[in-house]
């Protein structure tokens, strides 16, 4: 098991961070000259919530089943080291969280594949727990964390070219092999990750439509919540067989 090092002391701020709160640095990317873009490995805190199907098993059993790229022995060692843990061992009285449904997906991801549908989010986070909680049955809705050393898969070294910018929208050319947003094993090696690192002047961006990882093409992103909501509603209406938008 690769030791990711101690969790940082900035736990409170980092726990809610996303790509735009704490963006990658341009120096996080490496171009070895073989046509790929790499990300320097980094410590990462993966967070997900226990679904109904996981209730009654312990955190080691849950991860060994859902993330089988690593064997149970790895997760047992991670738990003993405090890297795999239940985030809320003492559930606050009067505060209950709805258990995520088994059909709810996620945009976040652990270092291993196979996490789709886990309801997880990637967090650059911390916390210095002094003790390791003994294994116990999990309850639906609890939050669990996996502090690990993350190695993102490579993508092609093509640039994310900004085609046009307005007050409300940004249009970019998405290269093939690069996901749009954090998903699965990808976080920094994504369109949003690269733009957060290289074009901080654009601010927080929200993709309006989908382009699959292996597809290249024009991608529209909103620069504010109002524009994102309006365009997504328009696309949804168009998908229901409404009148086509007027072309200029």
């Amino acid at each position: 098991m690769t030791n990711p090092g101690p969790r940082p002391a900035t736990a409170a701020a980092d726990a809610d961070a996303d790509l735009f709160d704490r963006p990658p640095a341009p120096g996080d990317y490496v171009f070895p000259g073989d046509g790929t873009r790499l990300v320097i490995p980094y410590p990462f805190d993966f967070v997900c919530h226990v679904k109904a199907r996981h209730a009654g098993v312990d955190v080691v059993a849950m991860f060994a089943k859902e993330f089988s790229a690593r064997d149970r022995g790895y997760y047992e060692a991670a738990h003993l080291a405090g890297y795999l843990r239940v985030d809320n061992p003492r559930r606050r009285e009067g505060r209950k969280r709805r258990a995520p449904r088994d059909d709810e997906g996620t945009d976040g991801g652990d270092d291993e594949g196979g996490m789709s549908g886990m309801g997880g989010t990637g967090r650059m986070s911390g916390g210095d727990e002094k003790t390791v909680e003994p294994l116990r049955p999990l309850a639906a809705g609890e939050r669990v964390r996996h502090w690990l050393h993350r190695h993102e898969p490579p993508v092609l070294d093509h640039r994310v070219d900004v085609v046009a910018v307005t007050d409300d929208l940004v249009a970019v050319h998405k290269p093939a092999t690069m996901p749009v947003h954090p998903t699965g094993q990808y976080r920094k090696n994504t369109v949003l990750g690269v733009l957060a690192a290289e074009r901080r002047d654009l601010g927080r961006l929200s993709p309006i439509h989908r382009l699959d990882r292996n597809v290249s093409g024009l991608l529209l992103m909103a620069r504010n919540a109002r524009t994102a909501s309006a365009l997504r509603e328009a696309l949804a209406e168009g998908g229901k067989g409404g009148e086509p938008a007027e072309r200029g």
Side-chain angles (χ1 to χ4, degrees):
M1 179 179 67
T2 302
N3 187 335
R7 289 183 292 276
T10 56
D14 287 348
D16 294 323
D18 65 16
L19 281 171
F20 295 99
D21 289 327
R22 294 178 179 268
D28 291 345
Y29 300 94
V30 176
F31 300 89
D34 61 356
T36 63
R37 174 197 294 262
L38 305 178
V39 173
I40 297 174
Y42 56 95
F44 186 76
D45 204 358
F46 170 67
V47 182
C48 69
H49 290 90
V50 178
K51 288 192 172 184
R53 70 172 181 264
H54 305 132
V57 303
D58 61 56
V59 66
V60 169
M62 170 184 163
F63 271 70
K65 179 179 180 181
E66 293 292 339
F67 306 115
S68 56
R70 293 184 170 96
D71 60 27
R72 182 183 175 90
Y74 166 87
Y75 292 114
E76 289 174 344
H79 173 259
L80 289 175
Y83 298 144
L84 180 62
R85 62 206 184 279
V86 182
D87 195 41
N88 54 340
R90 299 177 183 86
R91 308 186 71 180
R92 296 181 182 179
E93 186 176 353
R95 293 185 62 184
K96 294 183 179 180
R97 178 183 176 88
R98 177 185 66 81
R101 298 191 305 273
D102 284 346
D103 61 350
E104 290 180 331
T106 176
D107 289 338
D110 196 3
D111 191 43
E112 49 270 334
M115 59 74 60
S116 179
M118 280 287 291
T121 56
R123 303 292 189 194
M124 294 298 293
S125 175
D128 290 322
E129 288 81 352
K130 300 300 183 182
T131 61
V132 175
E133 184 190 16
L135 291 175
R136 60 168 176 80
L138 296 171
E142 287 192 285
R143 188 165 71 167
V144 294
R145 311 177 80 103
H146 184 199
W147 179 249
L148 69 158
H149 202 245
R150 193 172 208 191
H151 299 247
E152 294 195 26
V155 299
L156 293 178
D157 64 358
H158 301 164
R159 290 182 51 82
V160 179
D161 290 319
V162 176
V163 179
V165 179
T166 71
D167 290 341
D168 296 317
L169 288 169
V170 173
V172 304
H173 183 268
K174 173 199 169 305
T177 75
M178 181 181 288
V180 172
H181 51 70
T183 181
Q185 301 178 70
Y186 299 88
R187 181 175 176 78
K188 298 181 182 182
N189 244 351
T190 61
V191 173
L192 290 182
V194 171
L195 290 174
E198 298 180 352
R199 292 297 306 269
R200 299 185 186 184
D201 58 301
L202 297 176
R204 184 178 296 273
L205 301 173
S206 299
I208 301 302
H209 58 94
R210 290 186 56 184
L211 282 180
D212 290 340
R213 180 172 65 87
N214 287 325
V215 174
S216 64
L218 192 68
L219 179 68
L220 289 179
M221 290 180 286
R223 302 184 70 183
N224 54 68
R226 174 185 56 80
T227 301
S229 177
L231 288 180
R232 286 169 183 161
E233 288 180 8
L235 287 174
E237 287 299 319
K240 294 177 182 177
E243 292 296 323
E246 183 177 338
R247 295 183 179 179

